[in-house]
Amino acid sequence: MKKKCLCLIILITGVCFSVVTFAGEKVHWGYSGHEGPKFWGNLAPEYTPCAEGRNQSPIDIAKMIESDLPPLAFNYQAGGTQVINNGHTIQVNYNTQSSITIDGISFELKQFHFHSPSENIIEGKSFPMEAHFVHADNKGALAVVALMFETSAKDAKNNELEKAWAQMPAMAGGKAALVQPVDANLLLPKDRSYYRFNGSLTTPPCSEGVRWLVMKSHVTAAKAQIDKFKSVVGHPNNRPVQPVNARMILE
Ligand SMILES: [Zn+2]
């Protein structure tokens, strides 16, 4: 009888494990404990770059090399029409044609989402929040524009952010159509100078070959807005900085 029970337990465990594994990218990961960043590379075969990649994100942006970076050509319009809570972050999905042009290639804005505290740090400085504007070209190559948020000294609300924040789903899996579409252009700072380097997704599967463009200027949000994000996500959602290795950071 004991043997039968044991077999059943093994069978059930095995089935559960299979369901999780065969769900592809749906393998569970998190920001702490045995599903935390240190273990991402071991959680699934497709997450191997998290452990073995040499061009991983985020990084400490330092030792920049002065170069003639062309101005970033933003072609954004209001188009953030849905806000989702995916259990890892709050994300605004974009549905109208908004793009940036890099290296003569057009990358379409798909979504933007947030991390708190910031993932990238700039010369050792961390920020309370960082936004990632995720773009893809027609071959699926990715370009991420990163924007740092500071807490407003005057406690001024970030009005564009508030359009999404007002309908932020409190529960993981929640989604809401936005009453007022968010214009990513209005989230960006006036000064659009940037740092550029190669990197990866900062979440599993940590795929490399991502063009990173980090705005030098930051914007602000009210403390209550940053606190609301933190409390809804419920834990810090920043991957620790990764080794720069042979990469060059251009400015
Ligand atoms: Zn991100």
Side-chain angles (χ1 to χ4, degrees), residues 129-152:
M129 192 165 78
E130 177 176 352
H132 289 158
F133 299 81
V134 181
H135 308 73
D137 73 1
N138 58 15
K139 290 176 184 155
L142 298 178
V144 178
V145 171
L147 172 64
M148 301 299 178
F149 282 73
E150 277 280 26
T151 309
S152 167

Side-chain angles (χ1 to χ4, degrees), residues 180-192:
Q180 281 185 287
V182 181
D183 187 344
N185 208 31
L186 299 179
L187 283 172
L188 294 173
K190 280 201 187 91
D191 172 12
R192 297 189 174 174

Side-chain angles (χ1 to χ4, degrees), residues 113-115 119 132 134 144 202-203 212:
H113 63 264
F114 300 83
H115 300 268
E119 295 206 295
H132 289 158
V134 181
V144 178
T202 66
T203 55
W212 276 89

Side-chain angles (χ1 to χ4, degrees), residues 81-85 90-93 164 167-169 174-176 178:
T81 54
Q82 186 189 48
V83 60
I84 67 167
N85 177 340
I90 299 299
Q91 179 173 311
V92 174
N93 290 327
Q167 288 172 264
M168 185 190 288
K175 53 181 86 170
L178 294 179

Side-chain angles (χ1 to χ4, degrees), residues 102 107 110 134-137 140-144 201 207 209-212:
I102 312 160
F107 289 79
K110 301 293 184 187
V134 181
H135 308 73
D137 73 1
L142 298 178
V144 178
L201 299 179
S207 318
V210 178
R211 291 164 166 90
W212 276 89

Side-chain angles (χ1 to χ4, degrees), residues 8-244:
L8 194 63
I9 288 167
I10 289 170
L11 185 71
I12 290 169
T13 315
V15 169
C16 288
F17 185 73
S18 301
V19 168
V20 173
T21 308
F22 287 112
E25 63 186 29
K26 296 297 176 203
V27 175
H28 265 263
W29 58 269
Y31 286 97
S32 60
H34 293 299
E35 292 182 340
K38 270 188 209 163
F39 302 100
W40 286 351
N42 306 324
L43 295 176
E46 61 269 32
Y47 295 176
T48 303
C50 302
E52 294 181 7
R54 302 288 293 162
N55 298 309
Q56 289 288 293
S57 289
I59 58 167
D60 181 1
I61 299 164
K63 295 181 187 162
M64 300 79 155
I65 296 166
E66 282 211 28
S67 66
D68 257 340
L69 289 176
L72 268 183
F74 286 95
N75 176 28
Y76 282 177
Q77 46 195 312
T81 54
Q82 186 189 48
V83 60
I84 67 167
N85 177 340
N86 65 16
H88 299 299
T89 188
I90 299 299
Q91 179 173 311
V92 174
N93 290 327
Y94 232 75
N95 79 346
T96 50
Q97 288 200 333
S98 291
S99 61
I100 48 170
T101 304
I102 312 160
D103 306 329
I105 304 165
S106 177
F107 289 79
E108 196 179 339
L109 178 60
K110 301 293 184 187
Q111 47 98 343
F112 58 88
H113 63 264
F114 300 83
H115 300 268
S116 180
S118 68
E119 295 206 295
N120 291 292
I121 58 179
I122 300 177
E123 294 184 305
K125 180 178 162 50
S126 166
F127 291 79
M129 192 165 78
E130 177 176 352
H132 289 158
F133 299 81
V134 181
H135 308 73
D137 73 1
N138 58 15
K139 290 176 184 155
L142 298 178
V144 178
V145 171
L147 172 64
M148 301 299 178
F149 282 73
E150 277 280 26
T151 309
S152 167
K154 295 174 189 160
D155 206 29
K157 259 192 184 175
N158 183 310
N159 292 327
E160 207 53 34
L161 193 66
E162 193 55 29
K163 291 178 185 173
W165 256 224
Q167 288 172 264
M168 185 190 288
M171 303 298 286
K175 53 181 86 170
L178 294 179
V179 176
Q180 281 185 287
V182 181
D183 187 344
N185 208 31
L186 299 179
L187 283 172
L188 294 173
K190 280 201 187 91
D191 172 12
R192 297 189 174 174
S193 51
Y194 61 100
Y195 307 110
R196 178 174 178 172
F197 48 90
N198 293 323
S200 71
L201 299 179
T202 66
T203 55
C206 307
S207 318
E208 296 191 335
V210 178
R211 291 164 166 90
W212 276 89
L213 309 139
V214 177
M215 306 306 293
K216 286 187 182 181
S217 294
H218 62 253
V219 296
T220 63
K223 184 175 183 296
Q225 289 181 304
I226 296 170
D227 286 349
K228 181 176 183 178
F229 174 78
K230 285 187 194 171
S231 97
V232 164
V233 174
H235 53 79
N237 69 340
N238 64 311
R239 184 190 194 193
V241 291
Q242 304 295 305
V244 172

